């Protein structure tokens, strides 16, 4: 029996395992988006992810708070393509935003910074109209984060106090990975000890090692769940607010 063209194309997608040939609008999820106030149109440094100033300016300030995509904090740092659905106003590519906060709105999955929300519009006048709507229907999908020139960075949280309390924030995670857990090496016990997820992507320990601190991260993505270890130790004289390069890239 001769197969129709549609059936033939379906078989090609399955047999050759080339998902890029089979992508369609079905890869987007329908939802709604709104925006929050900001004096300079950037993000907020007080977001629930714990990113601080990074959460205000990363991705040129195109950031968002999310609700169901929050995933107990492991959704922090994820990147999404968001595009609105009013043809006369909306840009066909929409905006790429980074999750830096938790927020709930009127049946919205995204509460965007003004800079991010404005990029939904096809031009300046269209963006102004979208701001008048306040809430718009959108569709979104997760996309890889791209931080060219950056490795994963661990920043010592500003509330850390050497040697009694140590907390880190995980920054510049490339690709489509979630940070599920962080562990530190305990030389005395010769084992990896879990750090507590304080909130967002802030992981802490009330009893950090007295010497250099070695960290490893449990990440999850399309390839499964696995551990990656920092190639650099955080020095024993670490200071709050200082960022340390792990020399690790996931892509």
């Amino acid at each position: 029996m001769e197969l129709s063209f549609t059936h033939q194309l379906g078989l090609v997608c399955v047999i050759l395992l080339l998902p890029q040939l089979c992508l369609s609008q079905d890869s987007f999820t329908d939802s709604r988006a709104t925006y929050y106030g900001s004096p300079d149109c950037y993000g907020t440094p007080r977001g629930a992810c714990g990113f601080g100033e990074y959460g205000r300016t990363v991705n040129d300030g195109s950031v968002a708070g999310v609700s169901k995509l929050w995933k107990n904090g492991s959704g922090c740092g994820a990147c999404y393509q968001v595009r609105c659905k009013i043809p006369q106003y909306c840009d066909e590519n929409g905006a790429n935003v980074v999750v830096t906060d938790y927020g709930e709105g009127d049946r919205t999955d995204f509460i965007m910074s003004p800079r991010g929300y404005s990029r939904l519009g096809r031009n300046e006048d269209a963006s102004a109209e979208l701001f008048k709507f306040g809430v718009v229907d959108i569709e979104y999908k997760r996309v890889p984060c791209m931080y060219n020139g950056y490795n994963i960075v661990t920043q010592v949280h500003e509330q850390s106090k050497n040697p009694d309390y140590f907390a880190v924030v995980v920054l510049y995670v490339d690709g489509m990975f979630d940070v599920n857990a962080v562990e530190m090496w305990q030389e005395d016990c010769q084992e990896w000890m879990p750090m507590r997820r304080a909130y967002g992507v802030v992981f802490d320990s009330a009893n950090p090692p007295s010497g250099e601190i070695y960290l490893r991260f449990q990440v999850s993505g399309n390839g499964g769940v696995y551990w990656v270890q920092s190639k650099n130790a955080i020095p024993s004289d670490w200071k709050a607010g200082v960022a340390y390069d792990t020399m690790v890239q996931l892509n």
Side-chain angles (χ1 to χ4, degrees):
M1 181 176 65
E2 184 176 348
L3 294 176
S4 68
F5 174 77
T6 301
H7 290 144
Q8 291 177 33
L9 180 58
L11 287 175
V12 168
C13 291
V14 172
I15 294 172
L16 296 183
L17 296 177
L18 293 177
Q20 62 269 28
L21 295 179
C22 308
L23 288 177
S24 69
Q25 290 299 100
D26 293 339
S27 61
F28 283 84
T29 300
D30 291 333
S31 185
R32 282 153 54 92
T34 185
Y35 63 94
Y36 57 82
S38 170
D40 55 10
C41 294
Y42 283 88
T44 171
R46 298 180 299 279
C49 288
F51 284 143
E53 185 65 13
Y54 170 93
R56 191 179 78 86
T57 59
V58 66
N59 194 36
D60 195 30
S62 289
V63 298
V66 295
S67 51
K68 70 182 181 183
L69 300 173
W70 171 249
K71 296 188 286 189
N72 196 34
S74 64
C76 290
C79 296
Y80 291 90
Q81 180 185 0
V82 180
R83 57 192 192 189
C84 61
K85 302 170 70 175
I86 309 174
Q88 65 268 37
Y89 298 128
C90 298
D91 182 86
E92 62 181 8
N93 295 313
N96 283 9
V97 295
V98 179
V99 174
T100 59
D101 202 355
Y102 177 88
E104 296 182 7
D106 179 13
R107 294 176 289 120
T108 59
D109 280 315
F110 292 88
I111 303 179
M112 304 170 68
S113 68
R115 289 178 76 88
Y117 191 84
S118 68
R119 288 170 179 165
L120 296 176
R122 59 196 312 168
N123 54 45
E124 187 174 337
D125 290 339
S127 295
E129 292 300 319
L130 294 179
F131 276 104
K132 293 178 182 178
F133 282 102
V135 180
V136 292
D137 291 330
I138 56 104
E139 56 186 10
Y140 70 88
K141 69 176 179 179
R142 187 162 182 183
V143 295
C145 296
M146 292 180 287
Y147 301 112
N148 295 331
Y150 286 93
N151 301 312
I152 295 176
V153 169
T154 51
Q155 182 176 33
V156 180
H157 194 269
E158 60 186 13
Q159 294 183 356
S160 298
K161 186 175 182 180
N162 199 345
D164 301 317
Y165 176 72
F166 176 74
V168 292
V169 190
V170 187
L171 311 178
Y172 296 113
V173 178
D174 249 346
M176 295 172 61
F177 296 93
D178 295 333
V179 178
N180 300 324
V182 178
E183 293 183 346
M184 63 170 54
W185 178 251
Q186 294 282 359
E187 184 67 25
D188 294 344
C189 305
Q190 289 291 294
E191 65 178 342
W192 290 99
M193 301 294 290
M195 298 181 69
R196 179 182 71 109
R197 185 190 289 273
Y199 63 95
V201 284
V202 178
F203 296 84
D204 68 359
S205 172
N207 298 290
S210 57
E212 295 180 323
I213 298 177
Y214 292 87
L215 299 177
R216 70 174 185 175
F217 316 95
Q218 187 191 72
V219 298
S220 60
N222 292 335
V225 179
Y226 56 94
W227 290 93
V228 291
Q229 183 176 336
S230 173
K231 297 178 182 178
N232 279 344
I234 295 175
S236 58
D237 61 347
W238 52 264
K239 295 177 175 59
V242 176
Y244 297 93
D245 192 339
T246 67
M247 299 300 292
V248 169
Q249 290 186 344
L250 296 177
N251 290 334

